[in-house]
Amino acid sequence: MELGVIGLGRMGRIVVDRVLEAGHEAVVFDIDEESVADAADAGARPAASIVDLAEKLGPEKRIWLMVPAGDPVDAALDELAPVLDSDDIVVDGGNSYFEDSVRRAESTDAAYLDCGTSGGPAGAELGFSLMVGGPQWAYDELVPVFDAVATGPDGHDRMGPAGSGHYVKMVHNGVEYALMQTYGEGFELLANGRYDLDLESVANTWNNGAVIRSWLLELCEEAFREEGNDLGDVADRVEGGSTGTWTVQEALEQEVPVPLIYQSLAERFGSRADDGRFSRRLASRLRYGFGRHDVPRRE
Ligand SMILES: NC(=O)C1=CN([C@@H]2O[C@H](COP(=O)(O)OP(=O)(O)OC[C@H]3O[C@@H](n4cnc5c(N)ncnc54)[C@H](O)[C@@H]3O)[C@@H](O)[C@H]2O)C=CC1
Ligand SMILES: O=C(CO)[C@H](O)[C@H](O)COP(=O)(O)O
């Protein structure tokens, strides 16, 4: 099969490499010319624009978008719109908001597959986990490509109709936030607790047979090995947050309690105060107000 891939960053390039490795062909485009040249060196056919990519694909186009969520997806679809028809298939493999995916599926002439992608750049060799939403026929048609990009036939499935792939990925990310938070809390207690512990060794021991072993825990082990037991100069600031926010918003709308996911998101937001947390500073001052307790002051 020949796949058009638009967006050749950390994730899109892996899609290209894996489909090529599996014996398919790829036509590629990115607004960054160097990325296109690199992918061409690896065996893909370079395109000079999105329209050029579509023309090179001929009839029954199969196109995978791997651009940042939001406007870049709409921009790519706008450019593709004049050349797409109902025999064509577009996959959005990014972290798009599921309601955007429903809107896009309704407004494009092609069959639209919203594909939640998990595994990250570090999962390149193993392959990704793919959560796909959209028409069954389009999913079935692209199974050879999904087999190649995912860990294999078990690494992908159709979740349901339009939007369901990105919906499942959104919730996956909420779970990811909470898992990261709970590992963080456990290691924070160990780092500040009664024993002088080697945290890399703890993580390694847990990763060998413990109930809480996982890939994120392997990444904890890697972080302690590479940054040191105290995480060296890694700042107390966590970026990201959009997918976790959507998860919490959806949970509120559905009246489903997700306190751990919410708390993990709130911890991220809290980490971004440049000047210390206002709420903690006020709490400290209030302890003086009611109890005349000492107020630690800034240097
Ligand atoms: N990095 C990760 O761990 C994961 C990322 N994702 C999602 O996959 C998508 C891509 O992520 P990354 O590869 O990490 O981002 P990236 O920033 O590494 O790559 C994005 C690429 O898209 C290109 N691009 C932007 N606008 C374009 C346009 N209009 N036309 C053509 N190319 C365009 C950029 O030049 C860049 O090469 C995002 O939605 C992201 O949230 C999903 C799972 C994991
Ligand atoms: O989807 C992912 C992993 O599964 C991406 O790495 C995403 O960027 C993670 O979310 P955030 O940036 O909010 O931490």
Side-chain angles (χ1 to χ4, degrees):
M1 188 177 302
E2 189 167 46
L3 183 71
V5 181
I6 299 173
L8 304 171
R10 288 165 295 192
M11 299 293 285
R13 180 54 200 273
I14 296 168
V15 171
V16 172
D17 289 343
R18 290 189 66 86
V19 295
L20 290 175
E21 255 171 47
H24 303 293
E25 289 165 273
V27 183
V28 296
F29 175 71
D30 192 295
I31 48 176
D32 176 42
E33 288 176 13
E34 217 175 299
S35 306
V36 179
D38 282 351
D41 286 346
R45 221 155 41 113
S49 66
I50 287 182
V51 171
D52 183 39
L53 175 140
E55 280 167 2
K56 285 191 160 72
L57 286 172
E60 301 199 343
K61 303 172 204 358
R62 276 78 182 101
I63 299 173
W64 189 301
L65 302 177
M66 211 63 192
V67 298
D71 292 344
V73 178
D74 285 316
L77 288 172
D78 284 349
E79 282 191 64
L80 286 169
V83 295
L84 290 179
D85 65 36
S86 60
D87 293 332
D88 300 324
I89 304 173
V90 176
V91 180
D92 173 13
N95 273 327
S96 295
Y97 182 50
F98 74 97
E99 284 187 355
D100 288 341
S101 300
V102 173
R103 167 179 57 78
R104 289 167 185 148
E106 283 167 359
S107 61
T108 181
D109 289 336
Y112 197 76
L113 295 175
D114 51 285
C115 173
T117 304
S118 180
E125 275 183 35
L126 184 67
F128 297 136
S129 164
L130 302 175
M131 298 137 254
V132 187
Q136 183 75 52
W137 77 266
Y139 172 77
D140 292 343
E141 170 73 17
L142 282 197
V143 160
V145 164
F146 291 137
D147 283 350
V149 175
T151 54
D154 290 337
H156 59 88
D157 207 352
R158 178 177 176 268
M159 303 290 117
S164 61
H166 282 147
Y167 190 86
V168 173
K169 179 59 177 21
M170 172 187 78
V171 175
H172 160 288
N173 279 28
V175 172
E176 181 179 290
Y177 285 33
L179 288 173
M180 288 162 66
Q181 180 66 24
T182 192
Y183 283 127
E185 289 181 12
F187 281 111
E188 184 167 336
L189 178 54
L190 293 178
N192 295 293
R194 290 167 188 254
Y195 296 94
D196 185 15
L197 294 163
D198 177 340
L199 299 184
E200 182 192 342
S201 162
V202 172
N204 178 263
T205 306
W206 281 351
N207 272 322
N208 283 277
V211 169
I212 58 171
R213 65 190 182 272
S214 72
W215 188 46
L216 279 173
L217 190 55
E218 286 170 27
L219 297 179
C220 292
E221 194 180 331
E222 177 187 282
F224 295 127
R225 184 166 58 251
E226 292 180 359
E227 304 288 347
N229 215 44
D230 62 356
L231 291 179
D233 62 359
V234 176
D236 171 15
R237 182 181 176 88
V238 190
E239 300 289 356
S242 55
T243 48
T245 301
W246 300 336
T247 309
V248 171
Q249 284 169 341
E250 171 65 1
L252 290 172
E253 214 167 298
Q254 301 297 331
E255 300 188 7
V256 174
V258 292
L260 298 181
I261 295 174
Y262 171 72
Q263 189 61 36
S264 312
L265 180 67
E267 287 289 334
R268 281 198 191 199
F269 291 160
S271 77
R272 297 176 198 170
D274 287 334
D275 201 17
R277 295 289 301 280
F278 196 90
S279 56
R280 288 201 287 253
R281 290 169 57 217
L282 182 58
S284 180
R285 183 59 181 74
L286 291 178
R287 287 185 70 254
Y288 173 79
F290 59 69
R292 292 297 182 259
H293 302 295
D294 287 344
V295 180
R297 299 278 173 180
R298 292 167 166 169
E299 295 291 306

mmCIF file with all atom_site columns, all heavy atoms in Angstrom, residues 95 117-121 169 172-173 176-177 180 238-244 268 272, ligand 2:
data_model
loop_
_atom_site.group_PDB
_atom_site.id
_atom_site.type_symbol
_atom_site.label_atom_id
_atom_site.label_alt_id
_atom_site.label_comp_id
_atom_site.label_asym_id
_atom_site.label_entity_id
_atom_site.label_seq_id
_atom_site.pdbx_PDB_ins_code
_atom_site.Cartn_x
_atom_site.Cartn_y
_atom_site.Cartn_z
_atom_site.occupancy
_atom_site.B_iso_or_equiv
_atom_site.pdbx_formal_charge
_atom_site.auth_seq_id
_atom_site.auth_comp_id
_atom_site.auth_asym_id
_atom_site.auth_atom_id
_atom_site.pdbx_PDB_model_num
ATOM   1   N N   . ASN A 1 95  ? -3.107 13.927 18.759 1.00 0.00 ? 95  ASN A N   1
ATOM   2   C CA  . ASN A 1 95  ? -3.932 14.005 19.969 1.00 0.00 ? 95  ASN A CA  1
ATOM   3   C C   . ASN A 1 95  ? -5.029 15.046 19.789 1.00 0.00 ? 95  ASN A C   1
ATOM   4   O O   . ASN A 1 95  ? -5.132 15.999 20.548 1.00 0.00 ? 95  ASN A O   1
ATOM   5   C CB  . ASN A 1 95  ? -3.068 14.397 21.173 1.00 0.00 ? 95  ASN A CB  1
ATOM   6   C CG  . ASN A 1 95  ? -2.443 13.197 21.842 1.00 0.00 ? 95  ASN A CG  1
ATOM   7   O OD1 . ASN A 1 95  ? -3.026 12.117 21.885 1.00 0.00 ? 95  ASN A OD1 1
ATOM   8   N ND2 . ASN A 1 95  ? -1.251 13.389 22.382 1.00 0.00 ? 95  ASN A ND2 1
ATOM   9   N N   . THR A 1 117 ? -2.965 7.593  19.403 1.00 0.00 ? 117 THR A N   1
ATOM   10  C CA  . THR A 1 117 ? -1.671 6.909  19.258 1.00 0.00 ? 117 THR A CA  1
ATOM   11  C C   . THR A 1 117 ? -0.927 6.958  20.581 1.00 0.00 ? 117 THR A C   1
ATOM   12  O O   . THR A 1 117 ? -0.707 8.036  21.130 1.00 0.00 ? 117 THR A O   1
ATOM   13  C CB  . THR A 1 117 ? -0.830 7.632  18.180 1.00 0.00 ? 117 THR A CB  1
ATOM   14  O OG1 . THR A 1 117 ? -1.582 7.678  16.967 1.00 0.00 ? 117 THR A OG1 1
ATOM   15  C CG2 . THR A 1 117 ? 0.491  6.931  17.934 1.00 0.00 ? 117 THR A CG2 1
ATOM   16  N N   . SER A 1 118 ? -0.557 5.811  21.096 1.00 0.00 ? 118 SER A N   1
ATOM   17  C CA  . SER A 1 118 ? 0.192  5.783  22.356 1.00 0.00 ? 118 SER A CA  1
ATOM   18  C C   . SER A 1 118 ? 1.479  5.001  22.180 1.00 0.00 ? 118 SER A C   1
ATOM   19  O O   . SER A 1 118 ? 1.544  4.054  21.415 1.00 0.00 ? 118 SER A O   1
ATOM   20  C CB  . SER A 1 118 ? -0.645 5.137  23.469 1.00 0.00 ? 118 SER A CB  1
ATOM   21  O OG  . SER A 1 118 ? 0.095  5.129  24.679 1.00 0.00 ? 118 SER A OG  1
ATOM   22  N N   . GLY A 1 119 ? 2.488  5.410  22.915 1.00 0.00 ? 119 GLY A N   1
ATOM   23  C CA  . GLY A 1 119 ? 3.786  4.731  22.852 1.00 0.00 ? 119 GLY A CA  1
ATOM   24  C C   . GLY A 1 119 ? 4.920  5.740  22.736 1.00 0.00 ? 119 GLY A C   1
ATOM   25  O O   . GLY A 1 119 ? 6.018  5.507  23.237 1.00 0.00 ? 119 GLY A O   1
ATOM   26  N N   . GLY A 1 120 ? 4.609  6.888  22.123 1.00 0.00 ? 120 GLY A N   1
ATOM   27  C CA  . GLY A 1 120 ? 5.582  7.974  22.046 1.00 0.00 ? 120 GLY A CA  1
ATOM   28  C C   . GLY A 1 120 ? 6.819  7.602  21.245 1.00 0.00 ? 120 GLY A C   1
ATOM   29  O O   . GLY A 1 120 ? 6.989  6.449  20.837 1.00 0.00 ? 120 GLY A O   1
ATOM   30  N N   . PRO A 1 121 ? 7.690  8.592  21.016 1.00 0.00 ? 121 PRO A N   1
ATOM   31  C CA  . PRO A 1 121 ? 8.913  8.343  20.246 1.00 0.00 ? 121 PRO A CA  1
ATOM   32  C C   . PRO A 1 121 ? 9.731  7.190  20.827 1.00 0.00 ? 121 PRO A C   1
ATOM   33  O O   . PRO A 1 121 ? 10.348 6.434  20.088 1.00 0.00 ? 121 PRO A O   1
ATOM   34  C CB  . PRO A 1 121 ? 9.678  9.670  20.351 1.00 0.00 ? 121 PRO A CB  1
ATOM   35  C CG  . PRO A 1 121 ? 8.615  10.689 20.607 1.00 0.00 ? 121 PRO A CG  1
ATOM   36  C CD  . PRO A 1 121 ? 7.542  10.011 21.403 1.00 0.00 ? 121 PRO A CD  1
ATOM   37  N N   . LYS A 1 169 ? -8.282 7.769  23.599 1.00 0.00 ? 169 LYS A N   1
ATOM   38  C CA  . LYS A 1 169 ? -6.914 8.269  23.836 1.00 0.00 ? 169 LYS A CA  1
ATOM   39  C C   . LYS A 1 169 ? -6.919 9.393  24.869 1.00 0.00 ? 169 LYS A C   1
ATOM   40  O O   . LYS A 1 169 ? -5.996 9.507  25.687 1.00 0.00 ? 169 LYS A O   1
ATOM   41  C CB  . LYS A 1 169 ? -6.281 8.752  22.515 1.00 0.00 ? 169 LYS A CB  1
ATOM   42  C CG  . LYS A 1 169 ? -4.859 9.303  22.672 1.00 0.00 ? 169 LYS A CG  1
ATOM   43  C CD  . LYS A 1 169 ? -3.917 8.272  23.241 1.00 0.00 ? 169 LYS A CD  1
ATOM   44  C CE  . LYS A 1 169 ? -2.467 8.611  23.389 1.00 0.00 ? 169 LYS A CE  1
ATOM   45  N NZ  . LYS A 1 169 ? -1.922 9.896  23.445 1.00 0.00 ? 169 LYS A NZ  1
ATOM   46  N N   . HIS A 1 172 ? -7.082 7.714  28.110 1.00 0.00 ? 172 HIS A N   1
ATOM   47  C CA  . HIS A 1 172 ? -5.746 7.110  28.313 1.00 0.00 ? 172 HIS A CA  1
ATOM   48  C C   . HIS A 1 172 ? -4.802 8.142  28.908 1.00 0.00 ? 172 HIS A C   1
ATOM   49  O O   . HIS A 1 172 ? -4.049 7.865  29.843 1.00 0.00 ? 172 HIS A O   1
ATOM   50  C CB  . HIS A 1 172 ? -5.245 6.598  26.951 1.00 0.00 ? 172 HIS A CB  1
ATOM   51  C CG  . HIS A 1 172 ? -3.761 6.385  26.848 1.00 0.00 ? 172 HIS A CG  1
ATOM   52  N ND1 . HIS A 1 172 ? -2.847 7.424  26.800 1.00 0.00 ? 172 HIS A ND1 1
ATOM   53  C CD2 . HIS A 1 172 ? -3.023 5.249  26.767 1.00 0.00 ? 172 HIS A CD2 1
ATOM   54  C CE1 . HIS A 1 172 ? -1.623 6.938  26.703 1.00 0.00 ? 172 HIS A CE1 1
ATOM   55  N NE2 . HIS A 1 172 ? -1.701 5.623  26.681 1.00 0.00 ? 172 HIS A NE2 1
ATOM   56  N N   . ASN A 1 173 ? -4.823 9.347  28.354 1.00 0.00 ? 173 ASN A N   1
ATOM   57  C CA  . ASN A 1 173 ? -3.899 10.368 28.847 1.00 0.00 ? 173 ASN A CA  1
ATOM   58  C C   . ASN A 1 173 ? -4.242 10.809 30.265 1.00 0.00 ? 173 ASN A C   1
ATOM   59  O O   . ASN A 1 173 ? -3.356 11.099 31.065 1.00 0.00 ? 173 ASN A O   1
ATOM   60  C CB  . ASN A 1 173 ? -3.868 11.560 27.894 1.00 0.00 ? 173 ASN A CB  1
ATOM   61  C CG  . ASN A 1 173 ? -2.968 11.293 26.708 1.00 0.00 ? 173 ASN A CG  1
ATOM   62  O OD1 . ASN A 1 173 ? -2.790 10.142 26.312 1.00 0.00 ? 173 ASN A OD1 1
ATOM   63  N ND2 . ASN A 1 173 ? -2.400 12.329 26.127 1.00 0.00 ? 173 ASN A ND2 1
ATOM   64  N N   . GLU A 1 176 ? -2.736 8.324  32.308 1.00 0.00 ? 176 GLU A N   1
ATOM   65  C CA  . GLU A 1 176 ? -1.270 8.550  32.293 1.00 0.00 ? 176 GLU A CA  1
ATOM   66  C C   . GLU A 1 176 ? -0.890 9.617  33.332 1.00 0.00 ? 176 GLU A C   1
ATOM   67  O O   . GLU A 1 176 ? 0.077  9.459  34.084 1.00 0.00 ? 176 GLU A O   1
ATOM   68  C CB  . GLU A 1 176 ? -0.904 9.001  30.876 1.00 0.00 ? 176 GLU A CB  1
ATOM   69  C CG  . GLU A 1 176 ? 0.537  9.267  30.583 1.00 0.00 ? 176 GLU A CG  1
ATOM   70  C CD  . GLU A 1 176 ? 0.679  9.678  29.103 1.00 0.00 ? 176 GLU A CD  1
ATOM   71  O OE1 . GLU A 1 176 ? 0.502  8.824  28.216 1.00 0.00 ? 176 GLU A OE1 1
ATOM   72  O OE2 . GLU A 1 176 ? 0.947  10.866 28.834 1.00 0.00 ? 176 GLU A OE2 1
ATOM   73  N N   . TYR A 1 177 ? -1.662 10.713 33.373 1.00 0.00 ? 177 TYR A N   1
ATOM   74  C CA  . TYR A 1 177 ? -1.367 11.782 34.345 1.00 0.00 ? 177 TYR A CA  1
ATOM   75  C C   . TYR A 1 177 ? -1.409 11.219 35.773 1.00 0.00 ? 177 TYR A C   1
ATOM   76  O O   . TYR A 1 177 ? -0.548 11.511 36.599 1.00 0.00 ? 177 TYR A O   1
ATOM   77  C CB  . TYR A 1 177 ? -2.412 12.901 34.269 1.00 0.00 ? 177 TYR A CB  1
ATOM   78  C CG  . TYR A 1 177 ? -2.337 13.860 33.098 1.00 0.00 ? 177 TYR A CG  1
ATOM   79  C CD1 . TYR A 1 177 ? -1.902 13.471 31.844 1.00 0.00 ? 177 TYR A CD1 1
ATOM   80  C CD2 . TYR A 1 177 ? -2.760 15.175 33.259 1.00 0.00 ? 177 TYR A CD2 1
ATOM   81  C CE1 . TYR A 1 177 ? -1.886 14.350 30.784 1.00 0.00 ? 177 TYR A CE1 1
ATOM   82  C CE2 . TYR A 1 177 ? -2.741 16.077 32.202 1.00 0.00 ? 177 TYR A CE2 1
ATOM   83  C CZ  . TYR A 1 177 ? -2.306 15.650 30.960 1.00 0.00 ? 177 TYR A CZ  1
ATOM   84  O OH  . TYR A 1 177 ? -2.299 16.537 29.920 1.00 0.00 ? 177 TYR A OH  1
ATOM   85  N N   . MET A 1 180 ? 1.494  8.871  36.588 1.00 0.00 ? 180 MET A N   1
ATOM   86  C CA  . MET A 1 180 ? 2.721  9.646  36.804 1.00 0.00 ? 180 MET A CA  1
ATOM   87  C C   . MET A 1 180 ? 2.707  10.294 38.176 1.00 0.00 ? 180 MET A C   1
ATOM   88  O O   . MET A 1 180 ? 3.714  10.326 38.892 1.00 0.00 ? 180 MET A O   1
ATOM   89  C CB  . MET A 1 180 ? 2.845  10.733 35.723 1.00 0.00 ? 180 MET A CB  1
ATOM   90  C CG  . MET A 1 180 ? 3.189  10.172 34.359 1.00 0.00 ? 180 MET A CG  1
ATOM   91  S SD  . MET A 1 180 ? 2.836  11.343 33.041 1.00 0.00 ? 180 MET A SD  1
ATOM   92  C CE  . MET A 1 180 ? 4.003  12.635 33.378 1.00 0.00 ? 180 MET A CE  1
ATOM   93  N N   . VAL A 1 238 ? 5.759  21.102 35.452 1.00 0.00 ? 238 VAL A N   1
ATOM   94  C CA  . VAL A 1 238 ? 5.305  20.095 34.481 1.00 0.00 ? 238 VAL A CA  1
ATOM   95  C C   . VAL A 1 238 ? 4.467  20.791 33.421 1.00 0.00 ? 238 VAL A C   1
ATOM   96  O O   . VAL A 1 238 ? 3.469  21.446 33.739 1.00 0.00 ? 238 VAL A O   1
ATOM   97  C CB  . VAL A 1 238 ? 4.467  18.984 35.161 1.00 0.00 ? 238 VAL A CB  1
ATOM   98  C CG1 . VAL A 1 238 ? 4.226  17.837 34.182 1.00 0.00 ? 238 VAL A CG1 1
ATOM   99  C CG2 . VAL A 1 238 ? 5.153  18.472 36.420 1.00 0.00 ? 238 VAL A CG2 1
ATOM   100 N N   . GLU A 1 239 ? 4.882  20.645 32.169 1.00 0.00 ? 239 GLU A N   1
ATOM   101 C CA  . GLU A 1 239 ? 4.156  21.281 31.069 1.00 0.00 ? 239 GLU A CA  1
ATOM   102 C C   . GLU A 1 239 ? 3.025  20.363 30.572 1.00 0.00 ? 239 GLU A C   1
ATOM   103 O O   . GLU A 1 239 ? 2.692  19.382 31.197 1.00 0.00 ? 239 GLU A O   1
ATOM   104 C CB  . GLU A 1 239 ? 5.135  21.604 29.929 1.00 0.00 ? 239 GLU A CB  1
ATOM   105 C CG  . GLU A 1 239 ? 6.261  22.547 30.325 1.00 0.00 ? 239 GLU A CG  1
ATOM   106 C CD  . GLU A 1 239 ? 5.794  23.978 30.563 1.00 0.00 ? 239 GLU A CD  1
ATOM   107 O OE1 . GLU A 1 239 ? 4.597  24.267 30.354 1.00 0.00 ? 239 GLU A OE1 1
ATOM   108 O OE2 . GLU A 1 239 ? 6.623  24.810 30.959 1.00 0.00 ? 239 GLU A OE2 1
ATOM   109 N N   . GLY A 1 240 ? 2.496  20.650 29.406 1.00 0.00 ? 240 GLY A N   1
ATOM   110 C CA  . GLY A 1 240 ? 1.397  19.848 28.842 1.00 0.00 ? 240 GLY A CA  1
ATOM   111 C C   . GLY A 1 240 ? 0.090  20.157 29.554 1.00 0.00 ? 240 GLY A C   1
ATOM   112 O O   . GLY A 1 240 ? -0.044 21.188 30.221 1.00 0.00 ? 240 GLY A O   1
ATOM   113 N N   . GLY A 1 241 ? -0.874 19.285 29.396 1.00 0.00 ? 241 GLY A N   1
ATOM   114 C CA  . GLY A 1 241 ? -2.110 19.451 30.158 1.00 0.00 ? 241 GLY A CA  1
ATOM   115 C C   . GLY A 1 241 ? -3.395 19.445 29.353 1.00 0.00 ? 241 GLY A C   1
ATOM   116 O O   . GLY A 1 241 ? -4.473 19.299 29.938 1.00 0.00 ? 241 GLY A O   1
ATOM   117 N N   . SER A 1 242 ? -3.309 19.583 28.022 1.00 0.00 ? 242 SER A N   1
ATOM   118 C CA  . SER A 1 242 ? -4.569 19.730 27.282 1.00 0.00 ? 242 SER A CA  1
ATOM   119 C C   . SER A 1 242 ? -5.430 18.466 27.351 1.00 0.00 ? 242 SER A C   1
ATOM   120 O O   . SER A 1 242 ? -6.633 18.531 27.630 1.00 0.00 ? 242 SER A O   1
ATOM   121 C CB  . SER A 1 242 ? -4.295 20.122 25.835 1.00 0.00 ? 242 SER A CB  1
ATOM   122 O OG  . SER A 1 242 ? -3.427 19.198 25.234 1.00 0.00 ? 242 SER A OG  1
ATOM   123 N N   . THR A 1 243 ? -4.815 17.309 27.132 1.00 0.00 ? 243 THR A N   1
ATOM   124 C CA  . THR A 1 243 ? -5.631 16.083 27.110 1.00 0.00 ? 243 THR A CA  1
ATOM   125 C C   . THR A 1 243 ? -6.202 15.773 28.496 1.00 0.00 ? 243 THR A C   1
ATOM   126 O O   . THR A 1 243 ? -7.331 15.275 28.608 1.00 0.00 ? 243 THR A O   1
ATOM   127 C CB  . THR A 1 243 ? -4.804 14.880 26.588 1.00 0.00 ? 243 THR A CB  1
ATOM   128 O OG1 . THR A 1 243 ? -3.546 14.852 27.277 1.00 0.00 ? 243 THR A OG1 1
ATOM   129 C CG2 . THR A 1 243 ? -4.564 14.987 25.109 1.00 0.00 ? 243 THR A CG2 1
ATOM   130 N N   . GLY A 1 244 ? -5.430 16.095 29.543 1.00 0.00 ? 244 GLY A N   1
ATOM   131 C CA  . GLY A 1 244 ? -5.940 15.883 30.910 1.00 0.00 ? 244 GLY A CA  1
ATOM   132 C C   . GLY A 1 244 ? -7.108 16.816 31.213 1.00 0.00 ? 244 GLY A C   1
ATOM   133 O O   . GLY A 1 244 ? -8.084 16.429 31.869 1.00 0.00 ? 244 GLY A O   1
ATOM   134 N N   . ARG A 1 268 ? -0.137 19.630 38.178 1.00 0.00 ? 268 ARG A N   1
ATOM   135 C CA  . ARG A 1 268 ? 0.633  20.207 37.059 1.00 0.00 ? 268 ARG A CA  1
ATOM   136 C C   . ARG A 1 268 ? 0.456  21.711 37.002 1.00 0.00 ? 268 ARG A C   1
ATOM   137 O O   . ARG A 1 268 ? 1.412  22.465 36.874 1.00 0.00 ? 268 ARG A O   1
ATOM   138 C CB  . ARG A 1 268 ? 0.154  19.641 35.720 1.00 0.00 ? 268 ARG A CB  1
ATOM   139 C CG  . ARG A 1 268 ? 0.671  18.305 35.438 1.00 0.00 ? 268 ARG A CG  1
ATOM   140 C CD  . ARG A 1 268 ? 0.505  18.042 33.960 1.00 0.00 ? 268 ARG A CD  1
ATOM   141 N NE  . ARG A 1 268 ? 0.762  16.649 33.711 1.00 0.00 ? 268 ARG A NE  1
ATOM   142 C CZ  . ARG A 1 268 ? 1.056  16.159 32.521 1.00 0.00 ? 268 ARG A CZ  1
ATOM   143 N NH1 . ARG A 1 268 ? 1.097  16.955 31.482 1.00 0.00 ? 268 ARG A NH1 1
ATOM   144 N NH2 . ARG A 1 268 ? 1.289  14.899 32.363 1.00 0.00 ? 268 ARG A NH2 1
ATOM   145 N N   . ARG A 1 272 ? 3.300  25.395 37.989 1.00 0.00 ? 272 ARG A N   1
ATOM   146 C CA  . ARG A 1 272 ? 3.732  26.434 37.036 1.00 0.00 ? 272 ARG A CA  1
ATOM   147 C C   . ARG A 1 272 ? 3.784  27.835 37.631 1.00 0.00 ? 272 ARG A C   1
ATOM   148 O O   . ARG A 1 272 ? 4.089  28.790 36.920 1.00 0.00 ? 272 ARG A O   1
ATOM   149 C CB  . ARG A 1 272 ? 2.813  26.437 35.827 1.00 0.00 ? 272 ARG A CB  1
ATOM   150 C CG  . ARG A 1 272 ? 2.905  25.126 35.093 1.00 0.00 ? 272 ARG A CG  1
ATOM   151 C CD  . ARG A 1 272 ? 1.956  25.059 33.971 1.00 0.00 ? 272 ARG A CD  1
ATOM   152 N NE  . ARG A 1 272 ? 1.773  23.684 33.559 1.00 0.00 ? 272 ARG A NE  1
ATOM   153 C CZ  . ARG A 1 272 ? 0.853  23.284 32.713 1.00 0.00 ? 272 ARG A CZ  1
ATOM   154 N NH1 . ARG A 1 272 ? 0.031  24.144 32.188 1.00 0.00 ? 272 ARG A NH1 1
ATOM   155 N NH2 . ARG A 1 272 ? 0.750  22.023 32.397 1.00 0.00 ? 272 ARG A NH2 1
HETATM 156 O O1  . LIG B 2 .   ? -0.140 11.551 24.203 1.00 0.00 ? 2   LIG B O1  1
HETATM 157 C C1  . LIG B 2 .   ? 0.991  11.557 24.670 1.00 0.00 ? 2   LIG B C1  1
HETATM 158 C C2  . LIG B 2 .   ? 1.502  10.409 25.438 1.00 0.00 ? 2   LIG B C2  1
HETATM 159 O O2  . LIG B 2 .   ? 0.540  9.402  25.572 1.00 0.00 ? 2   LIG B O2  1
HETATM 160 C C3  . LIG B 2 .   ? 1.821  12.765 24.453 1.00 0.00 ? 2   LIG B C3  1
HETATM 161 O O3  . LIG B 2 .   ? 3.149  12.584 24.903 1.00 0.00 ? 2   LIG B O3  1
HETATM 162 C C4  . LIG B 2 .   ? 1.174  13.960 25.112 1.00 0.00 ? 2   LIG B C4  1
HETATM 163 O O4  . LIG B 2 .   ? 1.911  15.111 24.777 1.00 0.00 ? 2   LIG B O4  1
HETATM 164 C C5  . LIG B 2 .   ? 1.103  13.779 26.629 1.00 0.00 ? 2   LIG B C5  1
HETATM 165 O O5  . LIG B 2 .   ? 0.255  14.744 27.196 1.00 0.00 ? 2   LIG B O5  1
HETATM 166 P P1  . LIG B 2 .   ? 0.840  16.038 27.956 1.00 0.00 ? 2   LIG B P1  1
HETATM 167 O O6  . LIG B 2 .   ? 1.686  16.778 26.913 1.00 0.00 ? 2   LIG B O6  1
HETATM 168 O O7  . LIG B 2 .   ? -0.347 16.807 28.413 1.00 0.00 ? 2   LIG B O7  1
HETATM 169 O O8  . LIG B 2 .   ? 1.699  15.513 29.095 1.00 0.00 ? 2   LIG B O8  1
#
